[in-house]
Amino acid sequence: MIILGIETSCDETAAAVVQSTDKSINILSNVVASSLELQSKYGGVIPEQAAREQIKSIIPVIQEALHKSQKSIEDIDALAVTYGPGLIGSLLVGVETAKTLSLIWNKPLIPINHLLGHFYANWVEHRANTQQKAVDQSKNNSDMSTDTNPFVQSPPKFPLLGLLVSGGHSDLVLFRNHNDYEYLGGTRDDAAGECFDKCARILGLPYPGGPVVSKLAKQGRAERFKLPKLMTKDKDFDFSFSGLKTAVNLLVQNLGHKITSQETKDLCASIENTIVEVLVRKTLAAAKEYNIDQIIIAGGVAANQTLYETLLKQSKQSPSRVGIFVPPANLCTDNAVMIATAAFFNNFPVDPLKLQANPSLSLSNNRLT
Ligand code: KG4
Ligand code: ZN
């Protein structure tokens, strides 16, 4: 089966052609156009502007995805599209385009929840341990050779614990099967990615903050600045990150001078460590509570190497053997491969004329379709 996926929930316009065989899910093409330069200029995403960029890019991006896949429209079995959550203007561009194409081409249309879509990047063929291998290669005296995490089965086997960490969401989800999941908890305020982005802004660093903070953190000392690890003592699986941003703001103000380059690096290390520590503690606590030995991480922040390394390290210290899946970095951030892949496993087509974008779709109060 071959699916054309379309993703336009925020500032990325993405289309991908993905093929499923009996054995694996293979990417035939993966095109992502981002209005990142514009967002960097304004320090974040401006919804109106993002929607306008989506309109400009959507047709060329779909054309390029089809062209690169070397498949014709006749070869496509179905269309899959993100219908929420996200920015309404951006979502509408993808949803209305997919509805139109579905009617003109006479192909089934499968709506996908963006949040669930992120998790499905872990089912894509070249997913297995990609980031871990990169980590291994970047360390000569690595203590993390691939066989130190031998509990990763391919593809991931249920039951699974899913940690979604993106710019808008931080959620823990228990998957019993495809389309059978339970929401365990999530952020009560800022998401992990949002916290990276807001802290970066306070430090005068560009958007998106996650990759920049992570890069500078490598040259910093996390011990220098203590930041609050909020809600780690609570027994539930909720997160809170807005206090961390406030603490960083206060710290910077209290320094009483223009922040130096070394202070920026040290603060970056502290911010990254704090966010990672909170995520890892709650995730491993949930895995223990529900007796789960397979964890899938997803979303833009899943591209963070420290998160993966810390999760791997701390899971090895726990008595239960835990396999940790993480997609390659380009499939952690928004893309359409994950949307098409989710559609293979959640193949519930709808009447195109009835599909509506839903900007506030969530994991806690909505099923996949
Ligand atoms: O999943 P995503 O591309 O978009 C949403 O659906 O929100 O996630 C974007 C978020 C941004 O907040 C960005 O700062 C963060 O992911 N991010 C990272 C890294 N790469 C992207 N955060 C930490 N470390 C990274 N390497
Ligand atoms: Zn996303």
Side-chain angles (χ1 to χ4, degrees), residues 51 56 93 140 144 186 218 225 249 263 342 353:
K56 277 194 222 156
V93 176
N140 289 335
M144 293 204 354
K218 293 195 177 20
F225 297 110
N249 205 8
E263 281 165 348
L353 292 175

Side-chain angles (χ1 to χ4, degrees), residues 35-44 46 49 201 206-207:
S35 45
L36 199 66
E37 257 172 48
L38 271 179
Q39 325 302 348
S40 302
K41 195 164 145 198
Y42 295 104
I46 298 175
Q49 211 172 47
R201 203 186 170 128
Y207 176 89

Side-chain angles (χ1 to χ4, degrees), residues 72-89:
S72 66
I73 292 163
E74 291 73 51
D75 299 322
I76 304 292
D77 296 299
L79 293 159
V81 67
T82 299
Y83 74 111
L87 303 172
I88 184 62

Side-chain angles (χ1 to χ4, degrees), residues 24-298:
S24 60
I25 305 283
N26 302 309
I27 302 173
L28 303 185
S29 67
N30 176 19
V31 180
V32 183
S34 170
S35 45
L36 199 66
E37 257 172 48
L38 271 179
Q39 325 302 348
S40 302
K41 195 164 145 198
Y42 295 104
V45 179
I46 298 175
E48 279 277 305
Q49 211 172 47
R52 259 183 264 132
E53 291 301 310
Q54 295 282 6
I55 293 171
K56 277 194 222 156
S57 307
I58 186 79
I59 301 297
V61 164
I62 292 174
Q63 280 173 330
E64 194 182 333
L66 278 172
H67 177 74
K68 284 194 170 154
S69 72
Q70 298 187 332
K71 297 286 172 195
S72 66
I73 292 163
E74 291 73 51
D75 299 322
I76 304 292
D77 296 299
L79 293 159
V81 67
T82 299
Y83 74 111
L87 303 172
I88 184 62
S90 292
L91 281 170
L92 276 172
V93 176
V95 169
E96 296 306 316
T97 305
K99 282 161 73 171
T100 311
L101 293 178
S102 158
L103 288 166
I104 297 171
W105 294 346
N106 197 22
K107 309 277 179 193
L109 178 62
I110 306 164
I112 296 295
N113 178 326
H114 178 81
L115 308 177
L116 280 175
H118 267 298
F119 286 118
Y120 279 90
N122 285 291
W123 269 263
V124 180
E125 170 53 24
H126 66 269
R127 149 214 57 73
N129 278 339
T130 308
Q131 197 175 7
Q132 186 178 343
K133 277 179 191 151
V135 171
D136 294 344
Q137 278 158 12
S138 70
K139 287 181 169 187
N140 289 335
N141 56 350
S142 169
D143 61 347
M144 293 204 354
S145 64
T146 331
D147 63 4
T148 54
N149 186 17
F151 315 115
V152 172
Q153 301 162 27
S154 182
K157 301 271 186 299
F158 297 103
L160 289 162
L161 178 68
L163 170 69
L164 172 64
V165 270
S166 70
H169 294 85
S170 302
D171 294 310
L172 273 168
V173 185
L174 174 65
F175 286 92
R176 295 195 183 84
N177 208 329
H178 298 294
N179 206 32
D180 178 6
Y181 62 87
E182 186 182 333
Y183 174 82
L184 301 181
T187 184
R188 295 200 183 161
D189 38 57
D190 292 352
E194 192 178 356
C195 185
F196 270 112
D197 295 339
K198 287 180 173 171
C199 289
R201 203 186 170 128
I202 294 168
L203 299 178
L205 301 171
Y207 176 89
V212 193
V213 169
S214 184
K215 194 170 166 212
L216 292 175
K218 293 195 177 20
Q219 301 159 44
R221 289 159 298 154
E223 324 68 74
R224 179 159 174 203
F225 297 110
K226 280 257 167 303
L227 292 169
K229 294 190 175 107
L230 294 171
M231 295 186 64
T232 39
K233 294 207 170 68
D234 296 12
K235 290 268 173 276
D236 59 28
F237 301 115
D238 283 343
F239 305 100
S240 167
F241 290 108
S242 72
L244 178 54
K245 159 199 71 191
T246 311
V248 171
N249 205 8
L250 278 174
L251 248 167
V252 171
Q253 279 175 22
N254 289 344
L255 283 175
H257 58 258
K258 191 171 176 299
I259 185 164
T260 66
S261 142
Q262 191 54 51
E263 281 165 348
T264 302
K265 289 171 185 166
D266 293 342
L267 260 170
C268 284
S270 195
I271 292 161
E272 182 178 67
N273 263 26
T274 307
I275 295 175
V276 163
E277 190 60 36
V278 171
L279 292 172
V280 168
R281 270 199 220 173
K282 288 265 169 160
T283 305
L284 292 180
K288 193 170 168 215
E289 166 108 7
Y290 290 91
N291 203 14
I292 301 290
D293 60 8
Q294 302 280 292
I295 296 172
I296 51 176
I297 50 178

Side-chain angles (χ1 to χ4, degrees), residues 303-317:
N304 185 286
Q305 241 177 41
T306 309
L307 174 62
Y308 177 74
E309 288 181 17
T310 311
L311 200 50
L312 192 60
K313 197 168 151 207
Q314 294 197 15
S315 69
K316 279 197 283 171
Q317 286 158 4

